[in-house]
């Protein structure tokens, strides 16, 4: 059965139609830098979680303000995907990516120097916005410059890095704040952004000729068309709910205080790392399933873990295993949604990937808010709430599969 895709208008730049014959990047040199860039970019959302206590004491604010430190970044991050994703096709993936990394270094440094919580929230929105230029450019570059035989592994590796940042950023942040002031995390991140900008400039191929002769609005013309791809919309909503669960569970653990002591928190966060390392190895076996089938599998695994957590969340060892299973399930969902967007988007891959990532971090914006509402009622209530979100994601995925079958039959 043919998969329906979005076809761009006849005015699409020739470069967009000739990507299949463009030079291929060296995967071995490019992938490690992309993975580190993805970890650093998305990690900026999560590094404040272990810093909550130090930041609250410094600014003399409550826990509710801290959740906005997370949501503000997610809000800007989501907007950055839509703003900069189409521009990466217009101005070049390498140019947008390197410029975005340098801008991120500047704003991250300023965020770390913020003297009040309201100022920090504002800077976090701007930080998220500029950091949001990074993932769409990476994914579009992978879709156009990485050899087709390597793309599934590279896509899974980069997408897994976005998820791994959830844990790794918290582990690094927790270790740093134990020995240094909390602002050190932001200053250090700014330095690493700068170093990776130089590395990206060195390993990426020169940008292909672009369509800058067209009006600027032409770069965004594909976004409304992407939003009209009926089978894709429920899958995007499912991805958003999954990301809300990912952010919500770790924020909720911090807010409920179910785990006390830095050692226990570190063990809880680190428990998911083996699963994240293993996920890229599953790329080829998972490729035997359809993309909606992969999403269904991931949602079922994550929902089962969350339901079990409602009963066993009080035991650290069990909770550590269940969170690892949860992350494994969510780690299957995100790449499948991204690849679905790329396939259904046709030649508008960058726009479709941008919309997909936008949906993820709209969900991420909601995650801390859900956690803040449920956490006062205990971890069990938090877990049930997140499980309900995952069941809803399952229903949406099934709806998307039905739409896709209907569309294929009609063709």
């Amino acid at each position: 059965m043919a998969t329906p895709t979005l076809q761009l208008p006849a005015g699409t730049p020739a470069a967009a139609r000739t990507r299949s014959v463009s030079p291929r990047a060296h995967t071995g040199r490019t992938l490690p830098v992309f993975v580190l860039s993805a970890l650093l970019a998305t990690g900026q959302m999560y590094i404040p979680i272990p810093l909550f206590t130090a930041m609250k004491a410094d600014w003399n604010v409550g826990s509710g303000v801290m959740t906005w430190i997370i949501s503000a970044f997610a809000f800007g991050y989501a907007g950055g995907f839509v703003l900069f994703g189409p521009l990466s096709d217009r101005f070049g993936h390498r140019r947008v990516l390197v410029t975005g990394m340098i801008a991120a270094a500047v704003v991250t440094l300023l965020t770390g120097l913020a003297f009040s919580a309201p100022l920090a929230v504002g800077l976090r929105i701007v930080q998220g916005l500029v950091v949001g230029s990074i993932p769409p450019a990476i994914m579009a570059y992978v879709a156009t410059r990485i050899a087709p035989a390597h793309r599934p592994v590279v896509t899974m590796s980069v997408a897994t890095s976005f998820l791994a940042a959830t844990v790794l950023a918290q582990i690094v942040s927790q270790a740093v704040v134990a020995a240094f002031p909390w602002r050190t995390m932001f200053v250090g991140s700014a330095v690493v952004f700068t170093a990776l900008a130089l590395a990206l400039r060195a390993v990426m191929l020169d940008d292909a000729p672009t369509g800058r002769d067209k009006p600027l609005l032409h770069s965004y013309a594909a976004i409304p068309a992407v939003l009209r791809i009926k089978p894709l919309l429920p899958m995007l909503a499912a991805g958003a709910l999954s990301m809300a669960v990912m952010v919500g569970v770790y924020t909720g653990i911090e807010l409920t205080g179910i785990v006390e002591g830095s050692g226990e928190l570190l063990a809880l966060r680190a428990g998911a790392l083996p699963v994240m390392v293993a996920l890229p190895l599953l790329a080829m076996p998972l490729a035997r399933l359809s993309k909606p089938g992969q999403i269904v599998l991931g949602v079922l695994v994550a929902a089962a873990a969350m339901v079990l957590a409602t009963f066993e969340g009080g035991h650290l060892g069990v909770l550590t295993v269940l969170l690892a299973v949860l992350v494994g399930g969510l780690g299957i969902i995100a790449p499948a949604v991204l690849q679905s967007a790329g396939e259904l988007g046709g030649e508008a891959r960058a726009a479709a990937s941008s919309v997909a990532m936008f949906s993820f971090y709209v969900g991420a914006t909601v995650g801390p808010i859900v956690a803040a509402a449920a956490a006062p009622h205990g971890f069990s209530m938090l877990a049930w709430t997140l499980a309900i979100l995952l069941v809803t994601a399952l229903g949406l995925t099934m709806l998307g599969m039905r739409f896709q079958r209907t569309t294929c039959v009609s063709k």
Side-chain angles (χ1 to χ4, degrees), residues 23-334:
R24 300 303 183 194
H26 189 287
T27 304
R29 288 196 296 265
T30 307
L31 180 57
V33 185
F34 275 8
V35 165
L36 290 174
S37 299
L39 286 170
L40 180 64
T42 304
Q44 297 308 302
M45 181 184 303
Y46 306 102
I47 61 173
I49 294 177
L51 309 179
F52 276 1
T53 301
M55 295 169 86
K56 285 192 296 184
D58 199 355
W59 292 329
N60 193 27
V61 295
S63 298
V65 176
M66 291 296 97
T67 61
W68 281 106
I69 291 291
I70 307 297
S71 292
F73 180 92
F75 178 78
Y77 201 35
F81 295 146
V82 175
L83 177 63
F84 294 108
L87 292 184
S88 70
D89 276 344
R90 179 184 178 86
F91 294 105
H93 306 141
R94 180 172 180 253
R95 182 178 292 107
V96 168
L97 187 49
V98 172
T99 303
M101 295 289 283
I102 295 172
V106 174
V107 181
T108 300
L109 178 61
L110 293 176
T111 303
L113 300 177
F115 54 80
S116 69
L119 177 59
V121 169
L123 284 170
R124 285 282 284 175
I125 295 174
V126 179
Q127 185 194 24
L129 188 68
V130 297
V131 173
S133 66
I134 297 167
I138 289 178
M139 298 308 297
Y141 187 90
V142 169
T144 57
R145 292 301 188 94
I146 297 295
H150 299 164
R151 280 178 201 161
V153 173
V154 174
T155 300
M156 177 67 88
S157 298
V158 174
T160 301
S161 299
F162 295 140
L163 293 175
T166 310
V167 175
L168 286 174
Q170 292 183 66
I171 292 174
V172 173
S173 185
Q174 181 179 330
V176 169
V177 78
F180 302 97
W182 65 263
R183 298 177 190 275
T184 305
M185 271 306 299
F186 291 94
V187 175
S189 294
V191 173
V192 180
F193 269 123
T194 304
L196 285 176
L198 298 175
L200 287 165
R201 182 175 176 80
V203 302
M204 294 178 72
L205 299 174
D206 290 338
D207 292 318
T210 58
R212 277 179 281 177
D213 55 318
K214 301 289 182 182
L216 183 60
L217 289 178
H218 181 83
S219 300
Y220 296 93
I223 290 179
V226 169
L227 295 175
R228 290 194 295 270
I229 304 175
K230 194 175 181 180
L232 181 59
L233 297 182
M235 295 180 195
L236 296 181
L241 291 174
S242 301
M243 185 59 74
V245 171
M246 173 70 87
V247 182
V249 71
Y250 283 103
T251 305
I253 287 171
E254 190 76 22
L255 295 178
T256 58
I258 188 173
V259 178
E260 298 179 356
S262 59
E264 291 183 344
L265 278 170
L266 183 61
L268 189 68
R269 288 163 176 155
L273 288 178
V275 175
M276 292 178 175
V277 171
L279 279 173
L281 303 178
L282 298 176
M284 299 311 293
L286 286 171
R288 298 171 186 170
L289 297 174
S290 67
K291 297 304 183 297
Q294 292 177 35
I295 299 171
V296 168
L297 174 63
V299 170
L300 287 174
V301 169
M306 209 70 264
V307 169
L308 290 174
T310 65
F311 301 103
E312 301 293 339
H315 300 86
L316 177 62
V318 176
L319 182 59
T320 300
V321 172
L322 290 175
L323 281 181
V325 174
L326 172 73
V327 168
L330 298 177
I332 295 171
I333 297 168

